[in-house]
Amino acid sequence: MADTFSIIKRKSKPKFKKEKKAPKSSAVPKQKVRVTSTRRANSSLDASARRKRTSPSKTRAKRTLYEDTIHVTSRYQGEAPTSAFSAIQARKRTKKMLWVVFSAVFVIVLTAILVWISLWYFFKVENIRCEGITLYEADEIIEASGITVGEQMFNINRGAIEKVLSERYPYLLNVQIHREMPDTIVIEAKEDTAAYYMALCGEYCILSEQMRVLEMVSDEDIVTARHKGIVKLSLPRVTGAVVGSEVEFLHARNKAYISEVINALLHSDRSQSIKYIDLSNKFDITFNYAGRIDVLVGDESNITEKIQFAYKMIDDYSDFATGEVSVENLETGYVMIKDPQGE
């Protein structure tokens, strides 16, 4: 009886052999595979499955899952060499690119160092020359510039030197500093010319054609002796006259009519005979012709026609005539002239 119970017990609870797990691989990552009923059906056709057809369904399912896992893993292992080869090639390309970048940076840095050394040791000032400057001594200009022999040429601040020279020497225009390789510095400038002068606060202010103050002189005779043919002006009220800068007027609009009248007179065919222009009153402009005849112009309207009309009336008299000519009205001009050689 006991033997019969043992046999029934063994048959009712059969022992199952444990399935071996798939070997772990350090090179290939573990993958989870979802096994479907289709794959189970297909895998059941294997020879091993046919041999175990009499085993329970749970065992068959485990075996099928194991076989599918092995199948997928074997496909991945077949592709592994290609991926490893690509990774090796990528590392080689990266190393090559880094080497190229490093070489380029090294060449640039080395070139910069060599250029700096050559500029510092080989390009030094040996000669300093002035061009276009006659009103000032060359040694004075060179000393004021601050440039010294033996100085490194590319350390010279040209913009700052040009500004200093322009402010200190107002007759100089467009001051420029040039480098002539390998060892020469050239200070070049154009010189402004004195065109007018005016009395201001007990001194005489010398002006350029652009009404820029060039110099302040205490004696009028010095002005006329130094600048032949310079024209004296009487201007409206001035609020600023700084050497190197343009004259500033109380009313800025006065500058327009002043420029118009001066340009018309000094660009006329007898500008050399004009010695004095009175522009202090916009509606009572006058100028002196040859130092002996005063011409009354009035306002600046029709200024060119008025000037030509005045010349024609003056031509009717000799070079010794003195007096006054009025062209304030082009239709009713008149003369008040005394001519020693006239009839």
Side-chain angles (χ1 to χ4, degrees):
M1 187 69 177
D3 296 335
T4 304
F5 179 77
S6 299
I7 293 171
I8 294 172
K9 185 177 181 181
R10 284 199 299 271
K11 288 183 178 180
S12 61
K13 294 183 178 180
K15 294 181 179 180
F16 298 101
K17 294 182 179 180
K18 294 183 178 180
E19 297 291 342
K20 295 183 179 180
K21 296 183 178 179
K24 296 183 179 179
S25 175
S26 58
V28 181
K30 183 177 180 181
Q31 291 189 348
K32 293 182 180 180
V33 179
R34 182 178 180 181
V35 180
T36 61
S37 59
T38 303
R39 294 185 61 82
R40 290 195 186 98
N42 292 336
S43 62
S44 63
L45 299 178
D46 295 339
S48 60
R50 287 196 298 270
R51 287 194 300 269
K52 302 294 182 180
R53 192 179 292 274
T54 58
S55 61
S57 58
K58 185 175 181 182
T59 304
R60 291 201 301 271
K62 287 185 177 181
R63 290 181 178 178
T64 304
L65 177 61
Y66 175 75
E67 290 167 0
D68 289 342
T69 304
I70 295 299
H71 176 67
V72 174
T73 304
S74 64
R75 289 180 58 190
Y76 184 85
Q77 287 177 342
E79 297 175 357
T82 304
S83 301
F85 179 76
S86 300
I88 294 171
Q89 294 296 320
R91 285 196 295 271
K92 287 183 178 180
R93 287 194 298 269
T94 303
K95 289 181 179 179
K96 186 176 181 180
M97 186 177 298
L98 291 175
W99 174 252
V100 171
V101 172
F102 174 77
S103 301
V105 172
F106 177 77
V107 171
I108 293 172
V109 172
L110 181 61
T111 303
I113 293 173
L114 293 176
V115 169
W116 180 82
I117 292 174
S118 63
L119 294 178
W120 182 261
Y121 287 99
F122 296 104
F123 295 97
K124 293 186 178 181
V125 178
E126 299 294 338
N127 302 297
I128 307 172
R129 187 174 71 250
C130 294
E131 292 183 357
I133 301 174
T134 59
L135 297 176
Y136 305 101
E137 295 293 335
D139 294 339
E140 181 183 358
I141 297 295
I142 293 172
E143 183 179 357
S145 69
I147 303 173
T148 58
V149 174
E151 184 177 359
Q152 211 285 322
M153 293 186 67
F154 291 91
N155 282 345
I156 296 174
N157 190 337
R158 295 184 296 176
I161 295 173
E162 291 168 0
K163 183 178 180 181
V164 168
L165 294 179
S166 297
E167 292 176 352
R168 187 174 299 184
Y169 303 98
Y171 279 92
L172 299 183
L173 290 175
N174 301 323
V175 179
Q176 294 182 346
I177 310 295
H178 302 289
R179 299 186 185 98
E180 287 187 359
M181 295 302 179
D183 57 7
T184 303
I185 294 293
V186 179
I187 302 174
E188 183 181 5
K190 294 181 180 179
E191 293 181 336
D192 208 345
T193 55
Y196 330 111
Y197 75 98
M198 67 174 182
L200 183 65
C201 301
E203 292 185 309
Y204 295 91
C205 183
I206 300 176
L207 307 173
S208 68
E209 290 185 1
Q210 291 75 32
M211 305 296 290
R212 192 168 68 91
V213 180
L214 301 177
E215 191 178 358
M216 299 294 292
V217 180
S218 59
D219 192 345
E220 187 174 6
D221 294 334
I222 295 176
V223 176
T224 55
R226 186 183 298 173
H227 304 284
K228 302 295 182 181
I230 193 169
V231 178
K232 186 176 181 180
L233 300 178
S234 289
L235 298 176
R237 186 176 177 182
V238 172
T239 58
V242 180
V243 175
S245 303
E246 294 185 4
V247 174
E248 297 178 2
F249 298 97
L250 178 62
H251 302 290
R253 62 179 179 272
N254 289 337
K255 186 176 180 179
Y257 89 84
I258 290 172
S259 299
E260 182 181 358
V261 174
I262 290 177
N263 288 333
L265 286 169
L266 299 185
H267 288 86
S268 64
D269 54 357
R270 302 187 191 183
S271 59
Q272 69 278 2
S273 298
I274 299 175
K275 303 300 180 183
Y276 171 72
I277 306 174
D278 186 354
L279 298 161
S280 57
N281 190 335
K282 180 178 180 180
F283 302 101
D284 189 18
I285 300 169
T286 64
F287 67 91
N288 182 269
Y289 181 84
R292 53 189 178 85
I293 298 176
D294 292 326
V295 179
L296 310 181
V297 177
D299 60 19
E300 77 276 12
S301 61
N302 302 315
I303 184 64
T304 303
E305 290 80 0
K306 290 178 178 179
I307 293 171
Q308 295 301 323
F309 185 32
Y311 290 162
K312 289 181 180 179
M313 288 193 289
I314 292 172
D315 288 342
D316 293 336
Y317 301 90
S318 68
D319 293 340
F320 300 97
T322 59
E324 184 177 279
V325 173
S326 174
V327 290
E328 296 171 298
N329 191 324
L330 292 174
E331 296 180 359
T332 61
Y334 67 88
V335 296
M336 296 179 61
I337 290 180
K338 181 179 180 181
D339 188 357
Q341 295 183 356
E343 296 181 355

